[in-house]
Amino acid sequence: MNKQSAYIRKTFLDFFSEKGCKVVPSDSLVPSGDKTLLFTSAGMVQFKKHFLGQSKDTFTRATSSQKCFRTSDIDQVGVTNRHLTFFEMLGNFSFGDYFKEEAIAWAWDFLTNYMQLPKEKLYATIYKDDDEAGQMWKKFVPESRIIKMGDETNFWTMGPTGPCGPCSEILIDLGEDMGCHKPTCGPWCDCNRYLEIWNLVFTQFDRQEDGSLKPLGRKNIDTGMGLERIVAAANGKNNVFDTDLFLPMMNAASELLKVSFNDNIPKLRMIADHARAITFLISDGIHPSNEGRGYVLRRILRRAVRQGKVFGMNEPFLYKLVDVVHDVMKPAYPELTARLDNIKSMAKVEEEKFLETLNTGTDLLNNLISQYKAKNVSVLKGEDVFKLYDTYGFPHELTKEIALEQGLTIDEKGFEQEKKLAQEKSRGAWSGSGEQDITFYSVLHKECGDTTFEGYTQNSSSVKVIALVKDGKKVESLSKGEKGEMILSNSPFYAESGGQVADTGIMFNESVNIEVTDVTKPIGKLFVHKVVVEKGKVKAGDVLTASINTDKRNQTARHHTATHLLQKVLRSVLGNHVAQAGSLVCPDNLRFDFNHFKAVTKEELKKIEKDVNKAIRQNYPVSITEMPIEQARKEGAMALFGEKYGDVVRTVKVIETDDKYYSMELCGGTHVQKTGDIGMFKIVSESSVGSGIRRIEAVCGSACEKYVDGLENKIDEIAALLKTSKVMVVPAIEKMLQDNKNLETEISSLKSKVIAGEIDEYIKSAKDINGINVIAFAVEGVDVKTLREMVDKVKEKKASAIIVIASKLQDKISFVISVSQDIVKQGYAAGKIAKQFASKIDGSGGGKPDFAQGGGKKTDNLKSVIENIGEILK
């Protein structure tokens, strides 16, 4: 039977569900369980709090199929039969519940009975001192196939101290043909014969400072099995790529690139793996950039594009594979469908940019080689090769190839050193998310429980003080003048989340007045109120009246509902690829980040603003309900990329008619009751905030009034300066600009007359270089337009010449170069001369054979460069 990946994934989850395990959806590739990690790299990441006993979840058994991403073995992807960057990890977990006996027995049952793997080909490795696991394995496997291994492979640790324990790996023998054929070959070998399928980790010890192992009172099970590996093994394949998870992408890539499938398997495997990774990274809200997660995404995409370039593909192709990935993976990840257009658009733009970069890199490399040759140096420095590689994304292999064609080599060792330094710097820069340590609040959460939020329906509540905190420690009371934090039984205050700022306000009773300055949710539904005591003393157990600042709440709600209208209109005007990439809603303004790959035009901005205001004037009702997430998805609710939602979600609908909604989003924020309550919507700015990410800032309600008042005041100030009325400001400015233009023309004419008088002197200074007239000189304070005019005047009097004129203007140099046609025929080219000239003044230049121009920053040596023009011409 051909066991498809979807069948195996479902069978695994159903199997452990029947064992009492809670089926938990995959976390995002941006980890929610451990903010110190760059990516989710294992199934246990989202369960970290469960393992540490910090979770409020009641289940003690879980199972999942977790999206994972790793780059530790990226160079091996496509080369071996098993290495991947993106993969799914099937896992079953126990948090102080079942232990070794069940984990081993269930694993054997699943593999041999449900997956029907041949028992005689399965091996179990155990930790060398774990006799307990060894005895359990003897029930299923002959002792000859139970292999004892050491700390390096079969003992899991979190660090020098803390929870740890032995592990047991299950491997399958793929046959002698896959092995290294050495006499020492066995399950311990790194060759491709013995494929690790499943790793069972038994967390049973707490390592002490002295290295001793103290038994844990609460033992855990953490297992991980690569879906790709079990799909291959269950179908009798000796590599993970020869399955339904990869073959569709490999076949599609082969057709797109017009290359033979069988002759290019390693490259097609790598492209297929990277296409999967790119699809899911972008789907989970990661965008290409030059730092952090975005940098890794960019490098993955560029590795795949380079392979296309090797095959002669000079246009984007990778984005087309996203459709194939979607078709394969959508049964398990239906959210891909809603995000498909956005993923493809972002991938395509990034491909286009990189292809341009490759062309730019070629020009830079050629310029670099010319500089080395001019100095008679035959080895390109490692730092120069790495700069091309790291800054411009230019493959160092391509640098090496082009350099060899020009008779140069590259410093491989120096390049590797620079690369290593950059990797260390990158690792050092990633020190986590910058979020506060929540360990203290985890303990507090256990003691105090969740805070009941009443702010959706109430602006004021009677609340009980559960706990008080000052300087990270619990205290009995807070007195007048002291700052601290308060945990309440219930609260009308909205805690900062989902891009919406927190409420502020006051708490009081007959003896105490307290100002609430901020509210956060450091863990779960624990609301932490930051306060300043203005009068009296507050103690745990006190009952207070808590009242929010309603003006701030209402104005924030106007901006929040406006973001929902804005997203709807953006998708209508710009396209369905638009999705929210971030937001901020506060009383003063709203900020909305979204995926789009070019600046929004003035006309589009006008249309967007007009359509949002039209929806406001329609005064649509805003309905807020809770429903199962599957129902919300079926109804078309918009969700944030990378956000993890529970089984029941809060939906915000803007109702157009009884049977039609204007917009519907999953959202936990506060909103107006009708769109008319927003007042007016005004776009303040539109800008770029990253590759493929645009930002619109806007104002509504009273903030809009304030903004318009400010604009009117500016117009009044300008009118006063121009000594005219507001209605005549534009004609007055137009007259002033025309007067300036006339003056500039006059000045330019005077300059031309002065220059004309000097041209003869410059021509007299012409040099004869190899029988060619070369006229080269520098002037002060002349712009490029005037330089062109000067070249024309010189050409009128000297028809056959190379003319080089440079000008120093405001700490910068501009230059123009002309080569007459008879000299062009001798092999001289203005564009090539411009590049050489620019290299001497820390600049850039280029153009056609007969005319070129450029500029530079290094002004102190201009005279010397002009005087030595002959060296450049050589």
Side-chain angles (χ1 to χ4, degrees), residues 85-108:
T85 59
F86 173 82
F87 58 97
E88 289 180 82
M89 187 173 282
L90 303 171
N92 57 287
F93 310 91
S94 167
F95 317 116
D97 192 336
Y98 67 84
F99 199 49
K100 285 184 191 179
E101 188 170 3
E102 294 88 343
I104 290 172
W106 293 345
W108 184 258

Side-chain angles (χ1 to χ4, degrees), residues 159-179:
T161 61
C164 57
C167 21
S168 178
E169 295 177 343
I170 305 171
L171 299 88
I172 186 168
D173 182 0
L174 299 178
E176 288 185 21
D177 291 345
M178 295 296 293

